[in-house]
Amino acid sequence: MGVVGEVTHALQMQRGHLVPWTPVCLAIGIGLYFGLRFEPGLPIYCGVLVGAALCAAAGHRLSEAWAPVAWAIVL
């Protein structure tokens, strides 16, 4: 079993126990925002919105094990 297979298995074992990670993912995003040295403009906000939408769409198409990873990126 390769690295991807092992990570997939680990994610499947955590299924149902990933909800507590939601505030952690949100806090990481907030920390990244406040760590910026400049105020992002409208093009950057639009780019982030498009990226989040693509990640959310990928979350529906990915396997059941990898969907939470996509949603963590969206958060």
Side-chain angles (χ1 to χ4, degrees), residues 12 21-23 31 48 50 55 59 74:
Q12 286 174 340
W21 284 98
T22 301
V48 169
V50 167
C55 249
V74 169

Side-chain angles (χ1 to χ4, degrees), residues 47-73:
V48 169
L49 182 64
V50 167
L54 289 174
C55 249
H60 287 295
R61 297 187 56 97
L62 290 173
S63 69
E64 194 174 295
W66 286 94
V69 175
W71 283 107
I73 292 170

Side-chain angles (χ1 to χ4, degrees), residues 1-43:
M1 182 181 291
V3 174
V4 174
E6 290 179 21
V7 172
T8 302
H9 178 69
L11 286 170
Q12 286 174 340
M13 296 302 295
Q14 292 296 315
R15 197 76 177 157
H17 302 287
L18 296 174
V19 173
W21 284 98
T22 301
V24 174
C25 293
L26 284 171
I28 289 171
I30 292 168
L32 289 172
Y33 176 78
F34 282 117
L36 294 175
R37 295 177 187 235
F38 60 93
E39 182 68 28
L42 185 61

